[in-house]
mmCIF file of all heavy atoms in Angstrom:
data_model
loop_
_atom_site.group_PDB
_atom_site.id
_atom_site.type_symbol
_atom_site.label_atom_id
_atom_site.label_comp_id
_atom_site.label_asym_id
_atom_site.label_seq_id
_atom_site.Cartn_x
_atom_site.Cartn_y
_atom_site.Cartn_z
ATOM 1 N N ALA A 119 -23.623 30.613 3.047
ATOM 2 C CA ALA A 119 -22.316 30.662 2.360
ATOM 3 C C ALA A 119 -21.344 31.396 3.267
ATOM 4 O O ALA A 119 -21.590 32.365 3.915
ATOM 5 C CB ALA A 119 -22.509 31.504 1.074
ATOM 6 N N LYS A 120 -20.146 30.856 3.296
ATOM 7 C CA LYS A 120 -18.976 31.395 4.157
ATOM 8 C C LYS A 120 -17.708 31.612 3.453
ATOM 9 O O LYS A 120 -16.981 32.492 3.818
ATOM 10 C CB LYS A 120 -18.828 30.449 5.375
ATOM 11 C CG LYS A 120 -20.014 30.136 6.234
ATOM 12 C CD LYS A 120 -20.509 31.355 6.906
ATOM 13 C CE LYS A 120 -21.734 31.095 7.781
ATOM 14 N NZ LYS A 120 -22.350 32.276 8.367
ATOM 15 N N ASP A 121 -17.448 30.782 2.476
ATOM 16 C CA ASP A 121 -16.074 30.756 1.827
ATOM 17 C C ASP A 121 -16.036 31.904 0.800
ATOM 18 O O ASP A 121 -16.522 31.762 -0.308
ATOM 19 C CB ASP A 121 -15.777 29.400 1.251
ATOM 20 C CG ASP A 121 -14.382 29.286 0.758
ATOM 21 O OD1 ASP A 121 -13.757 30.269 0.298
ATOM 22 O OD2 ASP A 121 -13.829 28.098 0.811
ATOM 23 N N TYR A 122 -15.358 33.003 1.145
ATOM 24 C CA TYR A 122 -15.261 34.153 0.204
ATOM 25 C C TYR A 122 -14.615 33.707 -1.171
ATOM 26 O O TYR A 122 -14.997 34.248 -2.232
ATOM 27 C CB TYR A 122 -14.533 35.362 0.786
ATOM 28 C CG TYR A 122 -15.418 36.196 1.641
ATOM 29 C CD1 TYR A 122 -16.399 35.690 2.472
ATOM 30 C CD2 TYR A 122 -15.235 37.574 1.667
ATOM 31 C CE1 TYR A 122 -17.267 36.521 3.242
ATOM 32 C CE2 TYR A 122 -16.028 38.449 2.433
ATOM 33 C CZ TYR A 122 -16.964 37.869 3.210
ATOM 34 O OH TYR A 122 -17.813 38.644 4.005
ATOM 35 N N ASN A 123 -13.630 32.877 -1.117
ATOM 36 C CA ASN A 123 -12.906 32.503 -2.247
ATOM 37 C C ASN A 123 -13.751 31.781 -3.241
ATOM 38 O O ASN A 123 -13.848 32.016 -4.454
ATOM 39 C CB ASN A 123 -11.671 31.631 -1.885
ATOM 40 C CG ASN A 123 -10.648 31.512 -2.985
ATOM 41 O OD1 ASN A 123 -11.022 31.164 -4.144
ATOM 42 N ND2 ASN A 123 -9.363 31.739 -2.653
ATOM 43 N N ARG A 124 -14.569 30.771 -2.674
ATOM 44 C CA ARG A 124 -15.501 29.996 -3.522
ATOM 45 C C ARG A 124 -16.628 30.980 -4.041
ATOM 46 O O ARG A 124 -17.088 30.855 -5.191
ATOM 47 C CB ARG A 124 -16.122 28.873 -2.760
ATOM 48 C CG ARG A 124 -15.151 27.716 -2.558
ATOM 49 C CD ARG A 124 -15.826 26.718 -1.609
ATOM 50 N NE ARG A 124 -14.915 25.569 -1.429
ATOM 51 C CZ ARG A 124 -14.876 24.404 -2.107
ATOM 52 N NH1 ARG A 124 -15.745 24.222 -3.095
ATOM 53 N NH2 ARG A 124 -14.064 23.466 -1.793
ATOM 54 N N ILE A 125 -17.128 31.836 -3.149
ATOM 55 C CA ILE A 125 -18.162 32.773 -3.654
ATOM 56 C C ILE A 125 -17.729 33.578 -4.856
ATOM 57 O O ILE A 125 -18.328 33.689 -5.846
ATOM 58 C CB ILE A 125 -18.647 33.681 -2.526
ATOM 59 C CG1 ILE A 125 -19.318 32.964 -1.405
ATOM 60 C CG2 ILE A 125 -19.553 34.877 -3.019
ATOM 61 C CD1 ILE A 125 -19.624 33.741 -0.116
ATOM 62 N N TYR A 126 -16.410 34.026 -4.743
ATOM 63 C CA TYR A 126 -15.825 34.809 -5.837
ATOM 64 C C TYR A 126 -15.695 34.028 -7.145
ATOM 65 O O TYR A 126 -16.216 34.397 -8.182
ATOM 66 C CB TYR A 126 -14.546 35.457 -5.479
ATOM 67 C CG TYR A 126 -13.816 36.062 -6.604
ATOM 68 C CD1 TYR A 126 -14.067 37.459 -6.908
ATOM 69 C CD2 TYR A 126 -12.954 35.407 -7.417
ATOM 70 C CE1 TYR A 126 -13.485 38.130 -8.054
ATOM 71 C CE2 TYR A 126 -12.318 35.999 -8.597
ATOM 72 C CZ TYR A 126 -12.606 37.355 -8.790
ATOM 73 O OH TYR A 126 -11.949 37.953 -9.861
ATOM 74 N N ARG A 127 -15.124 32.891 -6.929
ATOM 75 C CA ARG A 127 -14.759 32.076 -8.190
ATOM 76 C C ARG A 127 -16.051 31.535 -8.836
ATOM 77 O O ARG A 127 -16.118 31.577 -10.069
ATOM 78 C CB ARG A 127 -13.859 30.949 -7.703
ATOM 79 C CG ARG A 127 -12.509 31.425 -7.322
ATOM 80 C CD ARG A 127 -11.624 30.222 -6.888
ATOM 81 N NE ARG A 127 -10.364 30.709 -6.400
ATOM 82 C CZ ARG A 127 -9.287 31.149 -7.067
ATOM 83 N NH1 ARG A 127 -9.326 31.066 -8.456
ATOM 84 N NH2 ARG A 127 -8.203 31.589 -6.602
ATOM 85 N N TYR A 128 -17.073 31.191 -8.094
ATOM 86 C CA TYR A 128 -18.241 30.604 -8.698
ATOM 87 C C TYR A 128 -19.032 31.704 -9.308
ATOM 88 O O TYR A 128 -19.642 31.535 -10.456
ATOM 89 C CB TYR A 128 -19.138 29.920 -7.602
ATOM 90 C CG TYR A 128 -18.563 28.669 -7.061
ATOM 91 C CD1 TYR A 128 -18.964 28.163 -5.869
ATOM 92 C CD2 TYR A 128 -17.587 27.903 -7.751
ATOM 93 C CE1 TYR A 128 -18.431 26.982 -5.260
ATOM 94 C CE2 TYR A 128 -17.090 26.669 -7.162
ATOM 95 C CZ TYR A 128 -17.506 26.244 -5.979
ATOM 96 O OH TYR A 128 -17.030 25.094 -5.471
ATOM 97 N N ASN A 129 -19.120 32.849 -8.776
ATOM 98 C CA ASN A 129 -19.882 34.052 -9.342
ATOM 99 C C ASN A 129 -19.112 34.530 -10.521
ATOM 100 O O ASN A 129 -19.808 35.039 -11.479
ATOM 101 C CB ASN A 129 -20.121 35.152 -8.335
ATOM 102 C CG ASN A 129 -21.278 34.811 -7.442
ATOM 103 O OD1 ASN A 129 -22.487 35.122 -7.797
ATOM 104 N ND2 ASN A 129 -21.121 34.232 -6.230
#
Side-chain angles (χ1 to χ4, degrees):
K120 301 296 181 187
D121 189 326
Y122 276 36
N123 197 308
R124 287 175 181 265
I125 293 172
Y126 174 86
R127 293 177 186 277
Y128 293 159
N129 277 277

